[in-house]
Amino acid sequence: MGNMNAPLFDLDIPGMQATVNSYKPGAGLAWQTLFPLKYTPKFDLKGIEGDEGIPVSADRVAFNTKAPLKTRKTVGSWSGKLGKIAVSRDKDETQINEYEDLKVIAAANTEDTATARYLVDMVYDDVDFCNNAMNYRIELDALRIGSSGKQVLSKKLDGDMATEDTINFNVPAENFIGVAVDWSDAENADGLKDIANGQEIVGKKGLRKPMYAIMEKEKFQQLRAQKKVARRLYPSTSDLSLITTEMITLERINNYMRQEGYPQILYIDSYVTVEDKEGKQDTLKPWNVKVVTLSPTVQLGWTYWKRVPMAKNVEAYQVYGAFYKLTVYSDVNPQVETTLAEAYVQPGLINRASLVFINTTKTTWSNGN
């Protein structure tokens, strides 16, 4: 930690703190609603299990304690503990020199507001980058969990040092089901009946019934194209060809579901970009498009987090965001300024026994594939 020098750019701790305070955690993302933040002083998820009734089995893969640039890697195996996520980005010597040159230009012409604004953006763009990276990391993890009932860390999504370990939240095996007919079969599929059947699995146990069906937007489009959905919504219409897709609205479907006591439908449309160590980017949907998740509440779980401690005896600037720590520091040989975000965090499911996971493409769960 000895080489964590003060930032080279014009930063101060109050300015950094004001900037990170301006970011609303999960803004514009699904995880903020489905898996809101919940502080825990514990690393041990088994301790959380005792407080929240969330049994966790198998191993948790820890994130590399030294954050790599742009991508995240996992290494080692932790048992039932909060993992660490981290991201950092550098300004190299060329960018530092460009910044210093622009400062001279701006000082010589105080009316040059464009240059002044550009300088501010150069100072804070890495802060913004790291904030977004942390939030999208949770979006990726939370929505994978929300559409699978477990978390499998893979090399593709978690870095090439990741091990293929799984966090299993122990949703009852009978709550993972398929459908009578693939939902893409508009003539024969009956998605609303499949959702009702999933609700009945929990209801027969005398448990809290699912009242929400959460799915991807693409899956909702398949649902509203089904002839049997049209028949349910317009039972008095003899010629279904008169019922257009535009007439099968979310509002009308949910009115029908509410009248029947079935789950309300919610759909999400989320994308996350993953970047590997070579800088190659891949944009994907974190929610499994094939899966519909039934839940008694809109909230599927919590995103548990714990503070990352401040580094001692360093000149680096360190502040806390909503759930992560932000550090900006420099090195002199070669000249480089690094912005680093770190968090101890783990999304976890609640209401396990009342959750149902439906594979809409097969007659069995088949691991959601």
Side-chain angles (χ1 to χ4, degrees):
M1 291 292 187
N3 64 341
M4 295 180 70
N5 303 307
L8 298 167
F9 281 40
D10 292 334
L11 275 171
D12 57 48
I13 290 178
M16 281 177 56
Q17 189 67 69
T19 299
V20 298
N21 287 349
S22 70
Y23 298 130
K24 182 180 178 182
L29 301 177
W31 75 259
Q32 196 275 336
T33 298
L34 301 180
F35 289 83
L37 290 169
K38 187 178 182 68
Y39 172 75
T40 174
K42 305 170 183 178
F43 269 117
D44 191 346
L45 282 177
K46 292 180 180 177
I48 293 174
E49 174 186 343
D51 295 340
E52 304 293 338
I54 306 174
V56 177
S57 60
D59 286 341
R60 168 61 172 164
V61 176
F63 284 82
N64 191 343
T65 55
K66 177 172 170 45
L69 294 176
K70 297 184 179 178
T71 190
R72 305 164 186 84
K73 297 178 181 179
T74 65
V75 62
S77 179
W78 294 25
S79 179
K81 295 184 183 295
L82 292 182
K84 181 177 180 180
I85 63 173
V87 64
S88 65
R89 196 158 76 164
D90 287 348
K91 286 186 174 71
D92 61 21
E93 193 162 0
T94 300
Q95 293 166 310
I96 292 168
N97 278 307
E98 177 188 356
Y99 178 74
E100 295 297 332
D101 292 343
L102 284 170
K103 279 204 303 183
V104 173
I105 295 171
N109 183 3
T110 57
E111 296 179 358
D112 187 355
T113 56
T115 300
R117 181 70 254 174
Y118 187 78
L119 285 167
V120 172
D121 289 343
M122 281 188 70
V123 170
Y124 286 101
D125 63 350
D126 286 353
V127 175
D128 187 57
F129 173 88
C130 286
N131 172 76
N132 288 332
M134 299 301 276
N135 276 283
Y136 276 91
R137 177 75 248 182
I138 296 179
E139 182 86 338
L140 178 62
D141 288 348
L143 269 58
R144 282 192 291 166
I145 292 169
S147 58
S148 68
K150 61 183 179 180
Q151 184 175 10
V152 179
L153 292 113
S154 67
K155 293 181 180 180
K156 177 177 175 57
L157 299 182
D158 298 285
D160 59 5
M161 291 177 65
T163 55
E164 301 284 338
D165 290 328
T166 299
I167 304 173
N168 188 341
F169 295 96
N170 293 340
V171 175
E174 62 271 20
N175 291 21
F176 294 89
I177 62 174
V179 293
V181 179
D182 187 328
W183 279 22
S184 64
D185 185 345
E187 291 291 330
N188 299 299
D190 191 352
L192 299 186
K193 187 173 189 300
D194 292 324
I195 291 172
N197 290 343
Q199 182 190 53
E200 188 177 9
I201 290 173
V202 175
K204 284 183 175 179
K205 300 178 185 178
L207 300 172
R208 190 179 180 190
K209 292 195 298 184
M211 295 307 298
Y212 294 91
I214 303 168
M215 64 187 72
E216 247 287 340
K217 183 178 180 179
E218 178 183 319
K219 190 55 57 177
F220 174 71
Q221 300 296 0
Q222 283 187 354
L223 179 71
R224 69 198 293 246
Q226 294 170 7
K227 295 290 181 64
K228 292 187 178 180
V229 171
R231 172 57 65 204
R232 291 179 183 277
L233 269 56
Y234 296 93
S236 60
T237 301
S238 58
D239 185 1
L240 287 182
S241 65
L242 299 175
I243 309 301
T244 65
T245 303
E246 289 71 25
M247 296 169 66
I248 312 294
T249 64
L250 178 64
E251 181 181 11
R252 186 173 288 275
I253 291 175
N254 278 340
N255 283 338
Y256 167 82
M257 298 294 274
R258 191 179 301 111
Q259 292 168 6
E260 298 296 326
Y262 296 149
Q264 296 288 284
I265 291 172
L266 304 174
Y267 70 77
I268 58 178
D269 186 21
S270 181
Y271 294 85
V272 168
T273 297
V274 178
E275 183 175 331
D276 64 23
K277 65 180 181 179
E278 281 80 30
K280 181 182 177 183
Q281 295 185 347
D282 185 20
T283 300
L284 50 88
K285 283 185 171 289
W287 187 276
N288 186 342
V289 177
K290 299 176 181 178
V291 173
V292 173
T293 300
L294 307 186
S295 171
T297 62
V298 174
Q299 182 182 343
L300 293 175
W302 294 105
T303 297
Y304 297 97
W305 68 280
K306 173 182 170 60
R307 283 203 186 280
V308 175
M310 294 286 187
K312 306 289 187 183
N313 303 318
V314 296
E315 297 180 42
Y317 291 174
Q318 304 172 78
V319 299
Y320 284 121
F323 60 92
Y324 60 86
K325 187 185 81 166
L326 186 79
T327 305
V328 182
Y329 63 95
S330 66
D331 203 353
V332 294
N333 187 24
Q335 277 197 330
V336 63
E337 178 157 301
T338 299
T339 303
L340 164 68
E342 305 167 278
Y344 299 131
V345 66
Q346 174 62 53
L349 294 171
I350 58 175
N351 299 315
R352 301 173 302 109
S354 293
L355 299 178
V356 177
F357 296 86
I358 306 174
N359 183 341
T360 62
T361 65
K362 294 186 178 181
T363 56
T364 61
W365 169 243
S366 302
N367 290 319
N369 295 322

